[in-house]
Amino acid sequence: MKLSSDDLMVVLALCQEGTLERAGQFLSRDASSVFRAIKRIEAKIGGPLFERSKAGFQPFPAAEELAEKGRDISAALSKANAICSEIGGIQSGKLRVTTTDVLLEHVILPNMGALRQMMPQLSVQFSTSNQVVQLWERGFDLAIRPSSNPPDQLLGQCLKRFGYVAVCARDYEQSAQAQRGDFSKLNWLVPGGALKQHPIRKGLAEQMKSAASILSFDSMNQMLHGVHLGLGVAVIPDLAPLTRGLVRLDMPSAQDSTELWSLYHPSNRGNLLLQGFTKFVKTALADT
């Protein structure tokens, strides 16, 4: 029996993802469907393609060779889709975008009018998450998020480099000034929950040892809202839409600068919708 292009894509998915669950997400199938497909393919060729273990599936050399052919097919399909979009002259379709809550509310949504003018037939599905999203699991087409070390298996571009700044509301400024030089006694608003390992929190470890009080949030946007309510001091990205209306405090930076990246799976190379949305976000960030 001959192998089909679908067979090659299944082998590619399992080689690339390592587990049935992630391969299924890559292919928009369930894990049991991928398992049955691999068994069928192995029956076709008369031998095993993967070594099974508790850690997942390790490809044998034959599987890696077949996966390379699958990559060629994936790249060809991406180019074909790009050509079809160019022929139509209209950038229409659906794009699944994941980003952080604070970037969506303060950078992306306020500029959506410009995006609609630029790409009127684009449908965007937003998902906000402050946790690291694995795009190789194919739940999303594009991620717009801070990263000091983007994953090697993803493609993308750096949209902006930014630093961090300590801020408070004007209602809290007097309290902050009264503790000048001893920031450990301030009321601090910090990342918590799913964001507990955020570099901001690590950088504030010394100040928080004797803080007057600490409020933690698993949402950067809610933390920023707490600052505007005068609940205390927080370290936030130094982007104009976020710092507007707040008082900057003269204190050592608690966190080095980082980068904001547009990241996508290699199979989306040449996707005009993705390129257009990335250009839109970069333009929105130009004045921040």
Side-chain angles (χ1 to χ4, degrees):
M1 297 179 67
K2 295 182 180 180
L3 293 178
S4 67
S5 58
D6 285 343
D7 293 336
L8 295 178
M9 293 303 294
V10 170
V11 176
L12 169 62
L14 196 52
C15 281
Q16 189 166 280
E17 310 302 332
T19 69
L20 294 171
E21 290 75 16
R22 292 202 297 265
Q25 291 172 339
F26 180 93
L27 297 166
S28 297
R29 301 184 185 180
D30 57 46
S32 61
S33 172
V34 177
F35 180 75
R36 291 193 300 271
I38 286 296
K39 296 293 289 183
R40 176 175 47 78
I41 294 167
E42 290 178 331
K44 282 185 180 182
I45 66 175
L49 290 171
F50 297 88
E51 179 181 3
R52 279 79 163 173
S53 71
K54 291 183 179 180
F57 285 67
Q58 295 297 321
F60 291 132
E64 294 177 342
E65 291 184 23
L66 293 176
E68 282 300 318
K69 302 303 180 183
R71 289 189 181 92
D72 292 341
I73 292 173
S74 178
L77 288 173
S78 293
K79 290 181 181 179
N81 287 331
I83 291 171
C84 290
S85 296
E86 290 173 351
I87 291 174
I90 300 175
Q91 293 185 333
S92 62
K94 184 176 182 179
L95 201 60
R96 299 166 301 171
V97 179
T98 178
T99 187
T100 65
D101 52 4
V102 73
L103 287 173
L104 179 63
E105 179 162 339
H106 297 277
V107 175
I108 296 176
L109 290 184
N111 293 283
M112 282 299 293
L115 177 65
R116 290 190 178 281
Q117 290 183 354
M118 184 173 67
M119 305 173 70
Q121 298 191 41
L122 173 65
S123 174
V124 184
Q125 175 185 317
F126 288 114
S127 176
T128 57
S129 172
N130 291 304
Q131 300 184 21
V132 175
V133 174
Q134 295 181 331
L135 287 184
W136 49 94
E137 293 185 353
R138 306 311 310 279
F140 304 97
D141 301 309
L142 178 68
I144 305 293
R145 60 180 54 253
S147 177
S148 299
N149 187 26
D152 292 336
Q153 59 267 57
L154 299 180
L155 301 179
Q157 63 173 293
C158 177
L159 302 177
K160 189 178 183 68
R161 174 176 284 275
F162 60 87
Y164 291 83
V165 61
V167 295
C168 69
R170 297 199 181 279
D171 291 344
Y172 191 77
E173 182 180 11
Q174 186 175 354
S175 297
Q177 296 298 347
Q179 299 298 334
R180 182 182 296 276
D182 190 357
F183 294 99
S184 65
K185 295 181 179 179
L186 296 174
N187 295 324
W188 282 98
L189 283 63
V190 300
L195 295 174
K196 194 171 184 179
Q197 301 304 317
H198 195 288
I200 289 177
R201 182 163 182 141
K202 293 179 181 179
L204 291 174
E206 288 300 319
Q207 284 89 339
M208 291 193 299
K209 284 182 178 178
S210 59
S213 73
I214 297 174
L215 295 176
S216 61
F217 302 81
D218 64 0
S219 160
M220 293 290 286
N221 200 44
Q222 290 302 312
M223 187 179 80
L224 182 61
H225 183 56
V227 175
H228 279 280
L229 291 176
L231 300 181
V233 177
V235 174
I236 65 172
D238 191 4
L239 298 173
L242 276 60
T243 60
R244 190 173 295 121
L246 297 174
V247 177
R248 292 169 174 261
L249 299 177
D250 184 16
M251 64 171 286
S253 175
Q255 164 62 20
D256 294 333
S257 63
T258 190
E259 296 172 337
L260 184 63
W261 280 79
S262 166
L263 298 168
Y264 55 92
H265 194 276
S267 63
N268 272 332
R269 182 189 283 110
N271 186 318
L272 295 182
L273 298 177
L274 187 151
Q275 293 174 4
F277 190 87
T278 297
K279 180 180 179 181
F280 149 69
V281 176
K282 192 168 186 176
T283 299
L285 288 164
D287 297 328
T288 62

